[in-house]
Amino acid sequence: MRLLRVATCNLNQWAMDFDTNLRNVKESIARAKAAGAAVRVGPELELTGYGCEDHFLEQDTTAHAWECLKDILTGDYTDNILCSIGMPVIFNSVRYNCQVFCLNRKIIMIRPKMSLANDGNYREFRWFSAWTFKDEIVEFQLPIEVSEAITQDTVPFGYGYMRFLDVSLAAETCEELFTANAPRIDLALNGVEVFMNASGSHHQLRKLNLRIDSIRNATQTCGGVYMYANQQGCDGGRLYYDGCCCIAVNGDLVAQGSQFSLKDVEVMDALVDLDAVSSYRASVSSFREQASHRTNVPFVKVPYKLCQSFRNGMVPTSPVQVMYHCPEEEIAFGPSCWLWDYLRRSQASGFLLPLSGGADSSSVAAIVGCMCQLVIKDIEKGDEQVKADALRIGQYKDGEIPTDRRELAKRLFYTVYMGTENSSEDTRLRAKRLAHEIGSFHLNVPIDSIVSAFLSLFETLTGKRPRYKVDGGSNIENLGLQNIQARIRMVLAFMMASLMPWVHNKSGFYLVLGSSNVDEGLRGYLTKYDCSSADINPIGSVSKQDLRAFLRWAAIHLKYSSLAEVESAPPTAELEPIRANYSQLDEVDMGMTYEELSIYGRLRKIFRCGPVSMFQASISIFENLCHSWCGRLSPSEVADKVKHFFKYYAINRHKMTVLTPSYHAESYSPEDNRFDLRQFLYNSRWPYQFRKINELVQEMDKDGKWETPAEGQLTMQTGAQGSGMGVVAAGSANPSAGF
């Protein structure tokens, strides 16, 4: 029996912070060695951090990575352990994303990435080239400083595997796991038994199962041991890398790390039986036949043994149950950990949130509260790094230790209810109760006097004073009055964030948190430069539907019971006067429900639908609107809905150019910076596309394929409890909620 102990890890790296990154890499190697591992794999580009982006174009970045690698190789870190270390490498003036394999203070091989990630949030082709040569391994001349330090001039470079005396190992890098013609297929047919995947994979709601299934299927089809390493945390941008390092053997997971954590380093190890891999493969006739006439893959011979012989008491690691978080837990823990990383690395002293008592700002408050709970739990578990960060950020005195989540929140979190005459007593009390449950320092700040001052100035300048719609004003007046309230709140929030620490004799500043959700961003239902404009936003890529489910979950599991009342209340901006016969509601203002918005968003982004294909998708797997509402709406009514959405999407797209940096969580995010790249000046009439839709409607009506529902069959569903695709007025007011 050939037994091999292998180790993988989650590392919380920070782009361009070489000291932190090197320290984490060293710590992970030390822990792997302490566990008795003979092989260790780390995350993709772990020395630089994955998110360096255009810093990869700087020669310094690659040079510093080599300096860090030299530091590792000149110590005893790689003694008796094969280490895969991720870093950029320039070969013949071309930059590659590489895994560098080191053993006993020498470099065994450099493996460049062959399939680059270049969609969604990924732009690897902007900085790297893919290695395309599969038939040979070439010699790479090491940098002089490294060469002299380790007395080695050259190293094998390219696609291939390492043949040790007792085991064959090879690499895959992140995206290569998911490609149709994955490298592991030919490598497995050439006898490679252990695959080492260095990854930089970010969190997205409901995504983990796809990754785990790919890892398990990789070893179920071809057999073998698959080691997966990942970054974990915020490395300086919108993404949260969600760890979940793991080890799979012949289709079974035998080790799994955490998906969300405040730890800087987490190492998982397993003892694997390589003879079980050989037996598994030999039992599959199709694998034997394909292996017998395989395409040979180049390899590097390494005269060294990694395995250990069987001894009494040595038992291969047994399979484990895969751990998945529900979406509500993902919303709680992912953004919480992202916020903690951002807070401790930004040198800020805490957060300030305009808390309205509505679903969105209450969700953000609950996430900050969850962050405080996680910090206290990790301190209780003995995490010295989390403790040191909490002591510094909370500005505790010598001898004081954070022990209570509410006391910690009092130091780190300010909430401000900025009410006007249009605000209800219900939202004010909901904000106050939630702040008390979380423990934040809460302020109730009436802003009517500031609004009145602006209106008086405007009246002095123009001789006119605008009125609300309910008081006889026009839509233009109504919108202007709402916008001034919203924008005053933004200015006041930033002023308080910079000055309140001074008021309380604390150093530093507070980060302002935004609270607009992905659906409002998609529709543009937010005021440009209002409280949606902040330093960062933990829910900017989360849908309203998911947030409401999160509120129900958090009311119980985070023990913030007031959230149940928040969730049950109909969404409203409270920017217009409340009358006996009128109360402002978001879904009426928008002319569509939040459920409809989620469908529009998925069709637009995930299924790549323009106006015409959104109306009538030709492939049945598309959840197109005609099929979804068949029997409830006529073709012309579905057409009106689609045109209504695209009209206001086009009008408001410009708002995405100034959207607050948001935690990425949803696959249909309209975030303009890197994920959803589109113009921001549209012909909002969409004349050609809408004309085509009208033609399709006429054909459908003529063919008689659709029956118009009988009178009374259609229902109006506004507010949070609506479960269907409600029919809403296409001509509703407040089209942009702030241009």
Side-chain angles (χ1 to χ4, degrees):
M1 182 182 291
R2 290 177 300 148
L3 296 176
L4 179 66
R5 186 165 293 279
V6 297
T8 182
C9 59
N10 296 327
L11 299 186
N12 193 336
Q13 306 299 78
W14 189 5
M16 300 300 291
D17 184 356
F18 292 92
D19 286 337
T20 293
N21 298 343
L22 180 59
R23 182 175 64 250
N24 290 346
V25 171
K26 288 180 175 180
E27 176 64 20
S28 69
I29 296 174
R31 292 190 192 181
K33 292 177 72 174
V39 182
R40 175 267 184 197
V41 61
E44 184 175 12
L45 297 167
E46 59 187 309
L47 289 182
T48 58
Y50 183 83
C52 296
E53 299 183 323
D54 281 1
H55 285 296
F56 283 125
L57 303 178
E58 301 165 4
Q59 294 290 101
D60 282 2
T61 304
T62 302
H64 295 332
W66 278 112
E67 290 162 1
C68 291
L69 183 66
K70 184 181 75 170
D71 190 322
I72 294 171
L73 289 171
T74 52
D76 62 358
Y77 297 98
T78 62
D79 289 357
N80 303 314
I81 184 171
L82 175 67
C83 293
S84 165
I85 298 175
M87 59 178 281
V89 174
I90 296 176
F91 178 54
N92 287 343
S93 300
V94 180
R95 187 181 302 100
Y96 297 100
N97 178 347
C98 295
Q99 289 187 59
V100 180
F101 291 94
C102 307
L103 173 67
N104 292 330
R105 312 189 190 199
K106 302 291 183 182
I107 301 176
I108 304 300
M109 178 183 180
I110 299 177
R111 161 62 153 86
K113 192 172 182 178
M114 303 172 67
S115 297
L116 302 183
N118 210 58
D119 53 12
N121 285 298
Y122 296 103
R123 295 287 182 275
E124 290 186 12
F125 272 109
R126 183 179 174 95
W127 312 299
F128 301 104
S129 294
W131 182 259
T132 58
F133 306 100
K134 288 190 173 184
D135 55 350
E136 63 175 339
I137 295 177
V138 299
E139 289 296 309
F140 174 83
Q141 178 66 51
L142 291 172
I144 292 295
E145 296 82 0
V146 177
S147 175
E148 292 177 347
I150 66 174
T151 63
Q152 179 182 355
D153 294 329
T154 62
V155 60
F157 185 101
Y159 166 65
Y161 64 96
M162 295 164 288
R163 180 182 288 179
F164 284 75
L165 297 176
D166 50 2
V167 60
S168 293
L169 307 94
E172 284 193 330
T173 306
C174 199
E175 180 75 9
E176 293 170 354
L177 168 64
F178 306 101
T179 55
N181 187 20
R184 65 177 174 277
I185 297 173
D186 282 339
L187 290 166
L189 295 175
N190 276 263
V192 173
E193 297 155 305
V194 179
F195 302 93
M196 308 163 71
N197 187 306
S199 185
S201 186
H202 66 79
H203 174 237
Q204 191 166 286
L205 288 173
R206 305 172 179 90
K207 172 187 173 184
L208 181 60
N209 65 305
L210 300 177
R211 190 191 309 163
I212 295 294
D213 287 347
S214 296
I215 293 169
R216 295 175 66 180
N217 291 337
T219 60
Q220 191 170 40
T221 303
C222 297
V225 177
Y226 206 95
M227 305 165 59
Y228 177 88
N230 196 14
Q231 286 194 194
Q232 186 174 60
C234 167
D235 79 340
R238 293 165 171 81
L239 305 182
Y240 179 83
Y241 299 92
D242 61 338
C244 204
C245 63
C246 59
I247 301 167
V249 180
N250 295 341
D252 292 319
L253 221 63
V254 297
Q256 179 186 3
S258 64
Q259 186 178 12
F260 308 109
S261 174
L262 303 183
K263 298 176 182 176
D264 283 344
V265 178
E266 181 180 9
V267 175
M268 303 298 296
D269 67 277
L271 185 64
V272 298
D273 179 4
L274 297 181
D275 286 341
V277 173
S278 300
S279 175
Y280 182 91
R281 289 174 172 176
S283 67
V284 182
S285 61
S286 59
F287 183 91
R288 296 196 307 268
E289 291 305 308
Q290 291 178 350
S292 66
H293 51 81
R294 66 188 181 275
T295 300
N296 289 329
V297 175
F299 60 89
V300 175
K301 282 187 176 181
V302 186
Y304 188 84
K305 290 183 179 181
L306 293 175
C307 297
Q308 48 188 307
S309 301
F310 174 77
R311 298 191 305 272
N312 286 335
M314 296 180 64
V315 179
T317 305
S318 300
V320 298
Q321 184 70 35
V322 180
M323 169 63 184
Y324 294 113
H325 290 285
C326 67
E328 294 80 9
E329 291 173 328
E330 292 185 80
I331 294 171
F333 302 141
S336 294
C337 294
W338 182 75
L339 285 178
W340 179 248
D341 277 344
Y342 203 103
L343 178 61
R344 69 191 182 110
R345 289 172 171 169
S346 67
Q347 302 300 310
S349 302
F351 297 117
L352 183 140
L353 171 69
L355 182 59
S356 69
D360 295 333
S361 62
S362 295
S363 295
V364 173
I367 288 169
V368 177
C370 179
M371 180 198 78
C372 293
Q373 293 185 25
L374 293 176
V375 169
I376 295 299
K377 286 179 181 178
D378 275 23
I379 292 174
E380 291 173 348
K381 292 176 182 177
D383 192 312
E384 292 299 322
Q385 183 61 59
V386 173
K387 177 181 173 181
D389 288 331
L391 290 172
R392 175 180 56 82
I393 298 168
Q395 300 182 28
Y396 286 85
K397 297 178 182 178
D398 291 342
E400 293 182 331
I401 298 176
T403 58
D404 181 79
R405 61 178 176 83
R406 295 184 72 253
E407 191 276 334
L408 178 64
K410 191 84 167 181
R411 292 172 178 265
L412 305 184
F413 191 28
Y414 280 25
T415 50
V416 187
Y417 181 84
M418 292 181 271
T420 68
E421 60 183 0
N422 301 323
S423 304
S424 68
E425 184 68 7
D426 289 340
T427 54
R428 186 186 69 81
L429 290 176
R430 287 201 297 266
K432 182 179 179 180
R433 283 195 291 268
L434 179 58
H436 175 74
E437 290 174 344
I438 293 171
S440 66
F441 185 93
H442 185 67
L443 291 172
N444 180 25
V445 183
I447 62 171
D448 285 319
S449 59
I450 309 176
V451 175
S452 179
F454 270 92
L455 294 178
S456 296
L457 174 62
F458 182 83
E459 187 175 15
T460 300
L461 293 173
T462 66
K464 292 187 175 183
R465 192 176 185 92
R467 295 177 298 166
Y468 289 102
K469 180 178 61 179
V470 295
D471 296 327
S474 64
N475 281 336
I476 292 176
E477 295 170 79
N478 196 60
L479 189 58
L481 287 170
Q482 293 182 70
N483 289 344
I484 193 61
Q485 297 169 68
R487 290 180 174 132
I488 286 171
R489 287 172 174 146
M490 185 270 289
V491 174
L492 185 58
F494 274 97
M495 184 185 79
M496 296 183 71
S498 62
L499 292 177
M500 287 307 292
W502 166 73
V503 170
H504 290 136
N505 297 314
K506 297 177 65 176
S507 61
F509 61 96
Y510 275 40
L511 294 164
V512 178
L513 296 180
S515 57
S516 59
N517 63 62
V518 68
D519 297 323
E520 291 169 347
L522 177 66
R523 167 61 170 75
Y525 186 69
L526 51 92
T527 301
K528 200 173 186 179
Y529 304 117
D530 69 344
C531 283
S532 64
S533 296
D535 289 309
I536 51 176
N537 180 357
I539 66 164
S541 185
V542 183
S543 73
K544 192 78 163 189
Q545 300 282 88
D546 282 336
L547 286 175
R548 295 189 56 191
F550 164 71
L551 289 173
R552 294 191 293 269
W553 176 90
I556 299 170
H557 295 87
L558 297 182
K559 296 181 171 56
Y560 302 144
S561 58
S562 62
L563 293 176
E565 184 182 350
V566 173
E567 190 276 331
S568 64
T572 173
E574 290 196 334
L575 294 171
E576 296 182 69
I578 299 172
R579 297 286 189 266
N581 61 346
Y582 180 76
S583 180
Q584 185 179 23
L585 294 172
D586 290 353
E587 292 180 322
V588 175
D589 278 353
M590 292 190 297
M592 60 192 72
T593 67
Y594 282 107
E595 186 177 8
E596 290 168 353
L597 262 176
S598 289
I599 292 177
Y600 296 141
R602 286 181 168 85
L603 287 172
R604 182 196 70 97
K605 179 66 177 177
I606 301 173
F607 295 114
R608 301 166 296 281
C609 287
V612 176
S613 54
M614 186 180 288
F615 170 73
Q616 186 186 52
S618 58
I619 303 177
S620 61
I621 63 170
F622 284 10
E623 187 186 8
N624 65 84
L625 301 185
C626 288
H627 291 168
S628 297
W629 292 325
C630 182
R632 298 174 58 187
L633 300 177
S634 68
S636 62
E637 288 169 322
V638 174
D640 286 344
K641 282 178 169 289
V642 172
K643 289 188 282 188
H644 181 63
F645 164 72
F646 271 101
K647 174 183 176 180
Y648 290 110
Y649 159 76
I651 287 173
N652 292 306
R653 178 66 190 186
H654 65 95
K655 297 178 183 178
M656 296 302 95
T657 63
V658 296
L659 197 68
T660 294
S662 301
Y663 179 100
H664 178 84
E666 184 55 77
S667 55
Y668 69 92
S669 170
E671 184 263 307
D672 182 72
N673 177 266
R674 62 186 293 167
F675 185 71
D676 188 48
L677 305 181
R678 302 167 195 246
Q679 73 211 65
F680 54 87
L681 178 62
Y682 282 88
N683 184 342
S684 62
R685 296 182 298 276
W686 300 85
Y688 185 89
Q689 293 92 330
F690 286 4
R691 188 166 65 249
K692 295 294 291 183
I693 290 176
N694 292 338
E695 292 171 1
L696 289 170
V697 169
Q698 291 175 3
E699 290 177 10
M700 290 171 132
D701 287 340
K702 187 163 110 178
D703 292 342
K705 292 181 180 178
W706 285 60
E707 295 182 4
T708 303
E711 186 177 354
Q713 184 175 344
L714 302 182
T715 58
M716 179 73 137
Q717 294 193 9
T718 60
Q721 295 300 327
S723 59
M725 310 295 179
V727 180
V728 290
S732 300
N734 195 17
S736 65
F739 191 78

